[in-house]
Amino acid sequence: MKIVTWNVNSLKVRLPQVVNWLEANQPDVLCLQETKLQDEFFPVNDIAALGYQSLFIGQKTFNGVALLSKQSGTDAVTAIPNWEDEQKRVLAATYGDVRVICVYVPNGESVESDKYQYKLKWLTALKEWLGKELQQYPRLAVLGDFNIAPEDRDVHDPELWKDQVLCSEPERNAFRELLSLGLADSFRLFEQPEKSYTWWDYRMLAFRRNRGLRIDHILLSNALAGNCKSCVIDKEPRKLERPSDHTPVVAEIA
DNA sequence: ATGGCATGTTACACATGA
């Protein structure tokens, strides 16, 4: 089973790239973040033409997540249960015996911002929910844009980013709390190239200079992590014209 | 040192992202 996460930064703009990527890579489930589409505008037919089904929950202008899959998902959940949130940031569904949860963690803006407090509260709510999901679904994968670089080796310049949003200790603690539920950062199950990142700023030639962060992750429950064969970052789409600022992350599970 | 770039809006600048 091949599962993927990709923050596309507008599915309207990136649809041709997503279509090409799906055709070339044939994942079983592709999790998208920042679709920035209201549900009535979701390109269901373009996706269906490739043999993929769509689940999605979106809103105008911001956020929005989707699951594109070869087989249909069941038991879809479109929000963190019992937690008030205007923003469309999570989508869960079951594919065979694998529970897949797509997340778009709030950015936080800066550690001084109200949005940072919202981010930390959101992560607490996510943890509580994931704990329950793990009990119900031992074969659980949580994929998405976590907007957290877990360790200094996930940051091109740790000194520059020290205590900044995406790298601050409270955020890294929240990430470790998710792992403590019994989830593994699948990327770190394998030997990886140094300076591996999933996001680069559009400005200052950041991609060319590899000034990036690893903030998009695939977390796997123990039952899945033991069968994980690979986890790789696909940098190719970041090289295209009009790329998303994030790259896909791909995990293969036996 | 606070720039720079991309996206969406009902706009002809601003908010948001990371």
Side-chain angles (χ1 to χ4, degrees), chain A residues 167-178:
Chain A
C167 299
S168 73
E169 272 312 307
E171 292 164 87
R172 287 179 168 178
N173 275 329
F175 188 82
R176 284 191 291 268
E177 291 270 303
L178 298 180

Side-chain angles (χ1 to χ4, degrees), chain A residues 6-19 202 241-245:
Chain A
W6 191 6
N7 179 325
V8 290
N9 185 19
S10 170
L11 183 54
K12 183 180 170 186
V13 173
R14 229 66 66 198
L15 182 60
Q17 292 183 22
V18 171
V19 165
Y202 284 121
E241 290 287 315
R242 280 192 101 180
S244 169
D245 42 357

